Amino acid sequence: MNDNVSEQPRSSGRKLQRRGEESRRKILDATLVLIAKRGLHGVTHRAIAAEAGVPLSLTTYFFSGLNDLIEQAFDHFVIAAANDNIEIMHQLAAYLDTFPPEALQQEGPIRQEVHGIVTSQLANFIRQQASTHSVGLAVELNFLYLYRLDPPIRAKAQAYRARLVAGIAELAAKVGSLQPEIDASLVLSVIHRLQFECMNLPPPWPESLLEGEIGRMLELVFRIPEEESPAATAD
């Protein structure tokens, strides 16, 4: 009998904990949705509570202030975004690893083939993200490129971008880039700009926008001579 009585408070406590975790997650999800809709400077406690469908008091119960809430929402976003970023990096790395390292360093048909495949995979990644993850893209671009972010949030956004650059730099080094970190930063900037373009243009997005610009950027990374570029050989 005493065991049953003692079990009831523990069970109730677990239920309350689960409800609290669910409410906190709803608040974080709602914050990200509002950032995508309004931008970071358009987010308020009241708007978050309304979007999450929770009492206003919970937005201050779980978080010390609005900046703390937004900072934890960014952490929440990074966890969700990591899977997509890791997947495309792994796909590209696995493809490049099918070639002997020395083959990827040579000028010629193999480098042309690899350039075309990588261009196509990145373009399709942007299309897929713009089609099915527009909220996540809007959140990412807000955090990475908004002027005058709160310093702790800015530091986290810079660290997030640095991890993306590091992953791209490893791939750039495989294909013979002489400055992989700089090339990776440039490639990431092009990808983000094209993601922004796709979010503001109705599909279908033309090859001249995606494959054209990504391909041109990758020609520099691959160090493909002008006369051997796909555009030149097509002519």
Side-chain angles (χ1 to χ4, degrees):
M1 181 175 179
N2 288 339
D3 289 342
N4 291 337
V5 171
S6 63
E7 179 63 27
Q8 289 177 359
R10 285 199 295 268
S11 178
S12 298
R14 287 194 294 268
K15 289 180 180 178
L16 288 174
Q17 184 179 8
R18 283 197 299 270
R19 288 175 187 163
E21 290 171 354
E22 182 180 352
S23 295
R24 182 178 177 279
R25 180 179 53 76
K26 285 182 178 179
I27 291 169
L28 294 174
D29 287 340
T31 302
L32 295 177
V33 170
L34 285 173
I35 291 171
K37 289 180 178 177
R38 302 182 176 186
L40 279 162
H41 295 322
V43 174
T44 65
H45 282 111
R46 192 172 299 279
I48 292 168
E51 182 72 30
V54 301
L56 178 61
S57 59
L58 288 184
T59 64
T60 54
Y61 176 78
F62 291 111
F63 309 95
S64 62
L66 190 58
N67 282 339
D68 179 47
L69 198 168
I70 291 174
E71 185 176 346
Q72 292 194 44
F74 179 72
D75 293 338
H76 186 58
F77 157 76
V78 169
I79 293 171
N83 289 335
D84 289 339
N85 292 329
I86 290 172
E87 182 179 359
I88 184 63
M89 297 283 192
H90 282 177
Q91 287 176 356
L92 292 172
Y95 171 67
L96 295 179
D97 287 342
T98 62
F99 298 91
E102 60 275 12
L104 292 175
Q105 306 293 324
Q106 297 170 357
E107 302 294 338
I110 289 179
R111 289 172 60 79
Q112 292 280 5
E113 174 191 341
V114 172
H115 170 274
I117 295 296
V118 173
T119 296
S120 178
Q121 288 190 350
L122 286 177
N124 288 333
F125 173 74
I126 293 173
R127 288 188 178 93
Q128 187 264 339
Q129 291 282 299
S131 298
T132 62
H133 295 77
S134 59
V135 170
L137 287 183
V139 169
E140 182 177 57
L141 295 174
N142 266 281
F143 277 113
L144 289 178
Y145 296 107
L146 188 66
Y147 177 59
R148 294 179 65 182
L149 277 176
D150 189 57
I153 301 173
R154 170 64 68 194
K156 288 191 173 186
Q158 289 173 336
Y160 170 75
R161 189 182 191 278
R163 290 194 295 273
L164 295 178
V165 168
I168 298 171
E170 289 184 12
L171 302 176
K174 286 178 181 287
V175 300
S177 168
L178 297 179
Q179 296 180 293
E181 290 80 13
I182 293 176
D183 284 347
S185 182
L186 291 172
V187 168
L188 184 60
S189 295
V190 170
I191 289 172
H192 282 154
R193 190 189 65 75
L194 291 174
Q195 287 172 332
F196 179 82
E197 291 280 352
C198 289
M199 289 172 60
N200 287 279
L201 292 173
W205 300 291
E207 290 189 7
S208 59
L209 175 65
L210 296 178
E211 281 83 354
E213 294 197 20
I214 293 172
R216 180 55 180 158
M217 180 71 244
L218 291 182
E219 286 175 15
L220 304 178
V221 177
F222 278 71
R223 295 183 292 116
I224 295 177
E226 187 77 25
E227 63 274 13
E228 296 179 15
S229 71
T233 55
D235 295 339

